[in-house]
Amino acid sequence: MNPPKLLGRAAVNTVVAISVLYTLLPALWLVLAAAKDRDALFGSNILSLQGFSPLKNLQDLFAMDKGIYGRWYLNSLLYAVGGAAVGALASIACGYAFDKYHFRHKEKLFGLVLAAVMVPQTVLALPLYLLASRTGVVDTVWAVLVPVLFNPFGVYLSRVFSQGYVPGEVLEAARIDGAGELATYFKVSLRMLGPGVVTVFLFQLTAIWNNFFLPMVMLSTQKLYPVSLGLYSWNSAATTSPEYYPVVIMGSLLAVLPLVLAFALLQRFWRSGLTAGAVK
């Protein structure tokens, strides 16, 4: 084999190996650190079995501050799962409308959607807070839940999925059979857009679950905190109360699990082509 090809393959393998290590080492550290008590956590050898107490850390996590971590976890599930589900359905409907229907200034409106994709969410936090203050929903569930229901990137992605997954011939056939627009969308198009719904849902779920700045601006009651903001408050308190460190790390490990499970369980849906062979 040609030596330059061997060198090229070795370089690629080296880059891949470094990338894998860069990705996995923090996750490995998190798993190992979550199983250590406070004294072992600050020791020099985290790979040793000394101070191995995952069950105690788990018990302390759900007992700390009267078990408020469980409430934070449920809040995150409400914000992320509920917001992602409603937001994905809204994005799919908007993207489908931009793709399949013709109306005045359609492309200009879609240009505004694309422009909104480039606006950082932190820039919108203050205007959203002022709107929430005017409507009296600051420090409520709605102050965090409503803003995440609308995602410009999800609308853009949904239009792309609609163009690729919903052939116009299928819609024409449904209309010839007497189906109305709503029936065509819910009975035909939405089923074809299954992978798109799941993909947008996963993007939304990840973004909302990791959302930190918006809850920090909107919420002041600890019982309404999501996991990210709750762990931040504990981590800030750990500078004066070191007993928070083990529970913060254990809580961070548990906070990763819903995202891992969601991608593991739903990947087969968004990777499959549900409309393959639909149009002959």
Side-chain angles (χ1 to χ4, degrees):
M1 188 175 289
N2 196 351
K5 289 185 177 180
L6 286 176
L7 292 176
R9 180 176 296 179
V12 170
N13 290 337
T14 301
V15 172
V16 171
I18 293 174
S19 301
V20 171
L21 288 175
Y22 180 80
T23 304
L24 293 182
L25 284 179
L28 178 61
W29 182 91
L30 180 62
V31 172
L32 295 175
K36 299 290 185 177
D37 60 23
R38 187 181 65 185
D39 295 333
L41 186 61
F42 293 99
S44 59
N45 188 7
I46 201 170
L47 297 178
S48 69
L49 295 179
Q50 183 181 1
F52 190 76
S53 58
L55 294 179
K56 183 179 184 302
N57 289 346
L58 194 62
Q59 292 173 353
D60 292 343
L61 173 65
F62 286 98
M64 185 69 70
D65 292 348
K66 299 180 180 179
I68 198 171
Y69 180 82
R71 179 66 180 267
W72 292 343
Y73 212 89
L74 292 177
N75 291 340
S76 287
L77 290 175
L78 172 64
Y79 300 145
V81 178
V86 177
L89 292 176
S91 296
I92 286 291
C94 291
Y96 175 82
F98 273 116
D99 176 41
K100 300 304 180 186
Y101 295 106
H102 300 282
F103 47 89
R104 292 184 61 186
H105 308 302
K106 181 178 80 169
E107 295 304 326
K108 292 179 181 178
L109 291 174
F110 191 69
L112 291 177
V113 172
L114 295 180
V117 172
M118 296 181 288
V119 177
Q121 293 300 311
T122 53
V123 175
L124 301 176
L126 181 57
L128 287 174
Y129 176 80
L130 295 176
L131 287 173
S133 179
R134 284 290 186 89
T135 54
V137 296
V138 172
D139 200 26
T140 66
V141 170
W142 304 110
V144 178
L145 188 59
V146 172
V148 300
L149 299 180
F150 307 99
N151 182 8
F153 178 72
V155 175
Y156 162 74
L157 195 62
S158 298
R159 184 178 186 181
V160 173
F161 272 105
S162 179
Q163 291 172 342
Y165 280 86
V166 185
E169 293 86 346
V170 173
L171 300 183
E172 289 299 325
R175 289 165 183 153
I176 291 173
D177 289 340
E181 293 301 324
L182 288 177
T184 300
Y185 174 70
F186 285 105
K187 294 182 179 180
V188 179
S189 302
L190 194 56
R191 294 183 181 183
M192 293 180 176
L193 288 169
V197 174
V198 173
T199 302
V200 175
F201 173 81
L202 288 174
F203 276 112
Q204 287 271 81
L205 180 71
T206 304
I208 299 171
W209 187 270
N210 294 325
N211 194 6
F212 169 77
F213 193 69
L214 181 64
M216 184 177 68
V217 170
M218 294 291 188
L219 303 177
S220 58
T221 303
Q222 278 201 347
K223 290 184 178 181
L224 298 177
Y225 283 3
V227 168
S228 57
L229 185 57
L231 291 177
Y232 171 79
S233 66
W234 275 359
N235 189 60
S236 300
T239 55
T240 55
S241 302
E243 65 270 12
Y244 279 102
Y245 279 118
V247 296
V248 166
I249 296 176
M250 177 60 77
S252 300
L253 177 61
L254 294 186
V256 176
L257 296 182
L259 299 181
V260 174
L261 290 175
F263 275 89
L265 295 175
L266 297 177
Q267 64 173 338
R268 66 186 183 92
F269 293 102
W270 59 271
R271 293 180 60 183
S272 62
L274 296 183
T275 60
V279 180
K280 297 183 179 179

